[in-house]
Amino acid sequence: MSYEVPHFIQGKKISASNRKLEIYDPVQGKLAGHVLVADRQIVQQAILAAKQAFKTWSLTTPSQRTKILFRFKALLDKNIEALAKLVTQEHGKTLAEAIGSVQRGIDVVDFTCGITHHLKGVFTDHVATGIDCYSLHQPLGVCIGITPFNFPAMIPLWMFPMALACGNTFVLKPSEKDPSCSLRLVELAQEAGVPDGVVNIVHGDKETVDALLIHPDVNAISFVGSSTVAEYVYKTGMTHHKRVQAFGGAKNHCIVMPDADLDQAAEQLVAAAYGSAGERCMAISVVVAVSDETADKLIANMKIKITHLKIGSGFSADSDVGPLVTQAHLERVQSYIALGKEEGAKLIVDGSQYKPKEFTNGFFMGACLFDHVQPHMRIYKEEIFGPVLCIVRVANFDDGLKLINEHEYGNGTAIFTRDGYIARTFADQVQVGMVGINLPVPVPVAYHSFGGWKRSIFSDIGMYGSEAIRFYTKLKTVTQRWMPRISS
Ligand code: NAD
């Protein structure tokens, strides 16, 4: 049955819109519903609701907000499976992956429940005789969040609960490809006691984003998506005097040293490269094998594991990998297979045309593995964002490190080795924001912070953890002196 995803403004679903976009069922490859597109007027309505709500929400005490956030967390826990089903239905990832991703979002809500501690200022008495100095973390006002298709629950949950905990109000613009889960998230927030207007949703595409970015009443922008759009959002937001954090794309390398446990490395790399159909900003997309012998052994091992990957509906408990999100994205990823062959890389596993028998119209493809990839090739330089892994062979650790440091992206990276000195040198010298040692997907836990380097981020402030407190508040420092009353 076809459905339509409305906006959510001032605590109500809003169905007005001149334009709609299509939402697909990626397993069947069929149109499933539509999402409305917010024009300037709808955006204005949402920002106004958030601006009005800020007047009272910013005056609530951190502990009053914590009580609501605790209830929100409990409701998320209770509804985790239902939320994950919405993710699987529109994104395609397996239900187990979807549950894991919602949990990573709930972990951030968990962190917000301790906001009273994090908003404590610093006080120094007697910075000079009779003079004290103290700092306050004050909310910014109306914050907006623009999120990508690959984590439709987790990334919104990395943003709006932190913003709300700090006393801000929020307008979310979720990905138009899988918007249903975000709507459910804000309904649960409302049920938990978040007052009307404090968190709102406008759906849409570039038209909606542009109206948000330049709106005079928007104070801060959090963006996650591709680097081209991240850079555009960053520059536009900065030009309009907003605080902006914009997270972009990735090409995450993993060095495999000759002394590594190659069986363990192969197992983990297959999951890190092909899990969620490679649609993860922390997926490993390049393996840097140190020596030909390491490459040959690793590849032999990975090939066996790849043949065991079960590709099918995300709702089937047997599936390891689901479909890609849309036909357009599938075709884009497939075009890189032809390109890689033209560029001279050796395609040693070709799943590019694979479809499960029962879903021949679905947006499926199987795992692809390129060997002998060279740094000048586009399949090496560009983010493919699908189940495609490149193997680059190098002679030694230093060459591998140099390769990573010269790449334009710097989101995540990893190394497999048994040598503590090499691991430590890698962690110390690699020019990447998130590093794994014998762990290929080093997404930091909620009480640390998330953020890449180089073209994977535009801004200096990371997501969630203490970085989010810094992003969603502004610092005020008061220096005070009080005189005794003069008695008459
Ligand atoms: P995308 O850049 O196409 O879209 C992201 C958001 O921006 C969406 O809400 C979309 O509607 C909006 N948008 C798209 N084009 C726009 C334009 N021209 N102007 C204004 N807004 C626009 O990204 P995507 O395809 O949804 O997501 C995949 C990308 O996100 C990958 O590059 C991936 O690496 C990246 N990503 C990064 C992180 C990170 O933390 N660094 C996390 C997840 C995903």
Side-chain angles (χ1 to χ4, degrees):
M1 205 178 63
S2 184
Y3 58 94
E4 196 169 85
V5 184
H7 312 297
F8 186 89
I9 300 172
Q10 188 63 28
K12 289 182 188 63
K13 291 181 186 164
I14 306 287
S15 291
S17 252
N18 295 325
R19 205 152 66 82
K20 293 174 191 174
L21 298 167
E22 294 174 339
I23 306 169
Y24 284 88
D25 168 353
V27 172
Q28 301 290 349
K30 273 200 215 144
L31 185 67
H34 288 89
V35 58
L36 305 182
V37 176
D39 58 13
R40 232 168 236 273
Q41 237 180 330
I42 304 276
V43 166
Q44 170 64 21
Q45 221 178 305
I47 302 283
L48 189 64
K51 189 180 173 188
Q52 292 294 342
F54 180 73
K55 290 180 189 158
T56 44
W57 182 249
S58 59
L59 296 179
T60 54
T61 64
S63 64
Q64 284 170 326
R65 300 198 289 267
T66 301
K67 285 188 180 69
I68 295 174
L69 289 161
F70 262 119
R71 286 200 292 270
F72 184 40
K73 182 190 146 28
L75 284 170
L76 291 169
D77 284 337
K78 197 169 140 199
N79 287 277
I80 186 165
E81 192 158 338
L83 290 164
K85 281 183 177 159
L86 289 174
V87 172
T88 296
Q89 182 187 310
E90 292 180 349
H91 175 276
K93 65 179 74 181
T94 65
L95 194 56
E97 282 260 6
I99 289 175
S101 73
V102 180
Q103 184 58 56
R104 293 301 291 241
I106 296 176
D107 291 348
V108 172
V109 181
D110 205 23
F111 180 85
T112 66
C113 295
I115 200 69
T116 45
H117 169 72
H118 294 287
L119 290 181
K120 281 191 302 195
V122 176
F123 185 94
T124 312
D125 64 348
H126 291 306
V127 292
T129 307
I131 298 179
D132 310 318
C133 186
Y134 62 93
S135 52
L136 307 168
H137 301 286
Q138 295 195 322
L140 304 172
V142 178
C143 301
I144 64 167
I146 301 153
T147 54
F149 78 80
N150 63 327
F151 285 108
M154 181 182 83
I155 295 181
L157 285 175
W158 285 3
M159 294 179 179
F160 78 80
M162 289 295 321
L164 265 54
C166 292
N168 303 285
T169 54
F170 207 84
V171 179
L172 175 68
K173 205 303 280 171
S175 171
E176 64 279 23
K177 297 189 178 90
D178 43 19
S180 293
C181 191
S182 53
L183 184 64
R184 193 65 200 120
L185 291 176
V186 299
E187 282 176 346
L188 291 175
Q190 184 182 43
E191 198 180 324
V194 171
D196 293 349
V198 170
V199 60
N200 308 274
I201 293 187
V202 289
H203 292 290
D205 52 13
K206 182 171 168 50
E207 179 190 359
T208 313
V209 174
D210 283 343
L212 288 164
L213 295 181
I214 61 171
H215 196 289
D217 292 326
V218 166
N219 299 88
I221 301 163
S222 297
F223 172 89
V224 179
S226 56
S227 287
T228 316
V229 184
E231 186 171 18
Y232 165 75
V233 165
Y234 182 72
K235 286 183 176 162
T236 311
M238 292 303 279
T239 308
H240 289 84
H241 308 291
K242 321 290 185 201
R243 180 173 289 187
V244 190
Q245 56 176 184
F247 297 77
K251 195 82 178 176
N252 304 315
H253 295 53
C254 177
I255 295 186
V256 180
M257 294 298 291
D259 70 345
D261 177 337
L262 293 184
D263 191 47
Q264 186 213 14
E267 169 118 25
Q268 294 203 20
L269 284 170
V270 166
Y274 303 118
S276 211
E279 293 171 330
R280 287 196 290 215
C281 65
M282 289 293 276
I284 292 292
S285 47
V286 180
V287 167
V288 183
V290 175
S291 85
D292 281 331
E293 197 190 341
T294 308
D296 293 341
K297 283 190 196 159
L298 185 72
I299 287 167
N301 209 327
M302 285 179 71
K303 274 175 139 180
I304 298 168
K305 294 181 166 48
I306 289 172
T307 56
H308 291 139
L309 280 178
K310 176 103 176 50
I311 295 164
S313 163
F315 285 111
S316 159
D318 295 343
S319 300
D320 299 307
V321 181
L324 277 75
V325 70
T326 57
Q327 178 67 23
H329 186 57
L330 172 68
E331 285 171 15
R332 184 184 166 275
V333 174
Q334 285 170 332
S335 74
Y336 277 98
I337 306 306
L339 176 69
K341 286 197 276 187
E342 265 167 46
E343 289 183 310
K346 208 168 151 199
L347 185 62
I348 54 174
V349 177
D350 182 4
S352 59
Q353 300 306 317
Y354 177 80
K355 303 266 180 217
K357 274 198 269 343
E358 60 277 49
F359 305 119
T360 48
N361 292 325
F363 308 141
F364 288 94
M365 68 178 279
C368 295
L369 184 61
F370 276 112
D371 193 9
H372 297 286
V373 174
Q374 302 288 329
H376 66 270
M377 297 177 179
R378 277 183 53 205
I379 58 162
Y380 172 75
K381 291 197 274 197
E382 297 173 13
E383 181 182 49
I384 299 175
F385 219 56
V388 183
L389 179 62
C390 297
I391 309 271
V392 181
R393 295 168 179 239
V394 294
N396 54 48
F397 168 73
D398 288 342
D399 288 354
L401 181 63
K402 184 163 176 278
L403 199 64
I404 299 175
N405 287 348
E406 285 175 356
H407 203 285
E408 68 172 345
Y409 291 115
N411 211 39
T413 189
I415 189 167
F416 280 93
T417 181
R418 288 186 169 103
D419 184 328
Y421 178 76
I422 287 284
R424 188 182 183 285
T425 306
F426 180 70
D428 187 44
Q429 294 184 9
V430 75
Q431 299 299 305
V432 172
M434 292 171 282
V435 181
I437 312 284
N438 296 315
L439 291 166
V441 186
V443 178
V445 291
Y447 40 94
H448 284 253
S449 294
F450 181 104
W453 287 11
K454 298 191 275 186
R455 267 188 79 75
S456 295
I457 193 168
F458 297 84
S459 74
D460 296 316
I461 307 186
M463 184 89 63
Y464 63 77
S466 56
E467 289 280 281
I469 311 285
R470 205 151 70 85
F471 184 78
Y472 287 120
T473 60
K474 52 192 173 195
L475 182 72
K476 183 180 278 176
T477 308
V478 180
T479 305
Q480 67 176 2
R481 173 165 59 188
W482 291 94
M483 314 304 175
R485 272 184 197 276
I486 299 164
S487 47
S488 47

